[in-house]
């Protein structure tokens, strides 16, 4: 039976790096222990391929192909063909060419840097207590969310006239349906529930400053126009259960520990940067961008669709989101 190759997976992500990895070890590190026949799955011109090598390849393929597996015979055939190519390259002394040596050194350096990080994290693992402390810290600062309506118009005078009508007892929903140029105007300006950081700053600041059931007494200007805002309700955000986000927090804390380790190494090392600084580009001055670039389509609205920025102290961070309420009023 003729076994087919797996060119897209192995050639791009396993085959060539594997070659460089093995030759890098030979060129710049002590030779790997000899493989005995008892620990081998195949022999190619007297060179044994170990069971460990096949197991490692199986694991790599499963990870890179999102759980997809291949028959052991097919993977072994790939390893045999890889060994044939390695022997051919060594016979032609390609392993001594400057280009290959440089690439093998790059692979070796990458492996060693990853090994150093893994060794540090193994010696300094993220504990459950650290994860719980991070969770408690984030959940304590979750704040509130708000339910509001708004009427968006083009000019300040239009907004002031609407406020005057509201003060006389006008119905906010009816006025929004009649006058608002926002897409949600047809829904009475209903914005549903949102956190303050989902809106452009002038809008969110006005919402936070209002009391429930009160509307803005002064028009609120944003890059979209002029708003009259009614804050209907507010409530504390409900944090997600700890167990549901625990494994999202762990890699974030691992990255923080690794970053701290690297910063300490950098601080205690003697580093001389020899690369000359890049001269600044002469660019034409551009007008300042609005505070929030994410503008809804098709017509302007205050809501920003982008995910809120994480605090600098927590970057990179896990995407810890509040639990969805049982029912969301619209």
């Amino acid at each position: 039976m003729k076994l087919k190759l797996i060119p897209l997976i192995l050639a791009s992500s396993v085959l060539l790096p594997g070659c460089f990895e093995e030759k890098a070890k030979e060129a710049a590190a002590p030779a790997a222990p000899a493989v005995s026949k008892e620990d081998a799955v195949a022999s190619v011109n007297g060179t044994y391929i170990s069971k460990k090598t096949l197991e490692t390849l199986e694991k790599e393929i499963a990870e890179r192909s999102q759980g997809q597996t291949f028959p052991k015979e097919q993977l072994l055939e790939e390893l045999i063909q890889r060994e044939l190519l390695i022997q051919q390259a060594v016979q032609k002394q390609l392993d001594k060419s400057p280009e290959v040596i440089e690439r093998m050194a790059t692979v070796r350096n990458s492996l060693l840097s990853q090994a150093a990080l893994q060794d540090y994290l193994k010696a300094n693992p993220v504990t459950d207590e650290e994860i719980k402390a991070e969770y408690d810290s984030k959940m304590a600062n979750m704040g509130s969310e708000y339910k509001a309506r708004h009427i968006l118009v083009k000019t300040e005078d239009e907004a002031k006239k609407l406020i005057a009508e509201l003060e006389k007892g006008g119905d906010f929903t009816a006025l929004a349906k009649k006058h608002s140029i926002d897409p949600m105007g047809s829904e009475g300006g209903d914005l549903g529930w949102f956190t303050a950081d989902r809106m452009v700053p002038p809008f969110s600041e006005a919402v936070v400053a209002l009391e429930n059931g009160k509307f803005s007494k002064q028009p609120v200007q944003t890059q979209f126009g002029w708003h009259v805002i009614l804050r209907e309700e507010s409530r504390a955000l409900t944090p997600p259960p700890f167990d549901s986000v625990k494994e999202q927090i762990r890699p974030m804390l691992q990255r923080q520990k690794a970053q701290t380790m690297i910063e300490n190494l950098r601080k205690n090392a003697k580093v001389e940067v020899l690369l000359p600084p890049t001269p600044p580009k002469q660019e034409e001055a551009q007008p300042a961008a609005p505070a929030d670039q994410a503008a809804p389509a098709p017509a302007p609205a205050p809501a920003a669709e982008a995910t809120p920025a994480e605090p600098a102290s927590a970057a990179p961070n896990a995407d810890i989101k509040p639990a969805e309420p049982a029912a969301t009023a619209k």
Side-chain angles (χ1 to χ4, degrees):
M1 179 180 66
K2 185 177 181 180
L3 294 171
K4 296 182 179 179
L5 301 182
I6 318 170
L8 293 180
I9 296 175
L10 292 187
S12 62
S13 62
V14 178
L15 178 57
L16 293 181
C19 295
F20 292 135
E21 178 182 334
E22 291 193 6
K23 287 296 127 185
K25 291 177 181 176
E26 292 175 10
V35 179
S36 66
K37 187 173 183 179
E38 292 73 22
D39 293 328
V41 288
S43 172
V44 180
N45 295 326
T47 298
Y48 291 121
I49 298 173
S50 70
K51 296 175 183 177
K52 179 67 174 177
T53 300
L54 179 59
E55 291 171 3
T56 300
L57 180 58
E58 266 188 299
K59 183 178 178 182
E60 288 179 354
I61 290 295
E63 290 175 353
R64 294 172 186 269
S65 59
Q66 299 180 338
Q68 184 179 2
T69 59
F70 296 88
K72 286 183 182 291
E73 294 82 3
Q74 192 171 357
L75 297 179
L76 179 57
E77 182 61 27
E78 290 288 343
L79 290 175
I80 290 170
Q81 295 192 28
R82 182 175 76 174
E83 180 59 34
L84 288 169
L85 289 171
I86 292 172
Q87 293 179 15
Q88 178 76 358
V90 172
Q91 182 181 344
K92 293 189 173 182
Q93 297 191 332
L94 299 180
D95 56 325
K96 294 180 172 57
S97 72
E99 179 186 357
V100 173
I101 291 173
E102 182 180 357
R103 294 177 69 181
M104 288 194 296
T106 299
V107 171
R108 177 178 180 271
N109 291 341
S110 176
L111 289 172
L112 287 174
S113 63
Q114 292 175 32
L117 287 174
Q118 290 169 358
D119 178 71
Y120 177 80
L121 292 174
K122 185 177 180 179
N124 300 272
V126 174
T127 65
D128 288 346
E129 290 75 16
E130 289 173 321
I131 296 176
K132 186 62 166 63
E134 180 70 14
Y135 171 85
D136 291 341
S137 172
K138 290 290 183 292
M139 297 308 106
N141 299 317
M142 288 194 71
S144 301
E145 61 180 348
Y146 307 90
K147 187 175 187 297
R149 295 178 183 269
H150 80 128
I151 305 172
L152 177 64
V153 291
K154 293 181 179 179
T155 67
E156 183 180 13
D157 286 342
E158 289 178 274
K160 286 182 176 179
K161 289 177 182 178
L162 290 168
I163 291 172
E165 288 192 48
L166 290 169
E167 289 176 337
K168 294 176 183 178
D171 182 76
F172 195 99
T173 300
L175 289 172
K177 288 181 178 180
K178 182 177 180 180
H179 297 284
S180 183
I181 61 174
D182 181 75
M184 299 309 296
S186 60
E187 302 294 328
D190 185 12
L191 296 172
W193 289 95
F194 57 88
T195 54
D197 49 14
R198 297 285 297 185
M199 300 295 180
V200 291
F203 191 95
S204 61
E205 289 165 7
V207 171
V208 172
L210 287 169
E211 297 178 7
N212 289 345
K214 302 293 185 179
F215 60 84
S216 53
K217 300 298 183 178
Q218 296 295 327
V220 177
Q221 186 182 23
T222 70
Q223 65 263 41
F224 306 114
W226 293 85
H227 308 262
V228 181
I229 304 169
L230 169 65
R231 175 170 141 178
E232 295 183 311
E233 298 178 56
S234 63
R235 64 190 179 194
L237 286 168
T238 303
F242 174 68
D243 289 339
S244 71
V245 295
K246 178 179 178 180
E247 294 310 315
Q248 297 177 36
I249 300 174
R250 188 185 302 278
M252 177 195 68
L253 294 181
Q254 288 176 333
R255 288 193 294 269
Q256 288 182 0
K257 284 196 172 191
Q259 185 61 39
T260 300
M261 174 243 194
I262 294 170
E263 288 172 358
N264 288 334
L265 289 174
R266 183 75 161 78
K267 190 184 302 182
N268 296 320
K270 183 179 179 181
V271 178
E272 181 182 4
V273 178
L274 304 177
L275 181 70
T278 304
K281 293 181 179 180
Q282 299 295 327
E283 296 180 353
E284 296 182 4
Q286 299 292 330
D292 195 311
Q293 293 287 349
E305 295 298 333
T307 301
E310 295 289 349
S313 62
N317 207 341
D319 186 15
I320 306 172
K321 298 181 179 179
E324 292 293 334
T328 302
K330 288 289 183 182

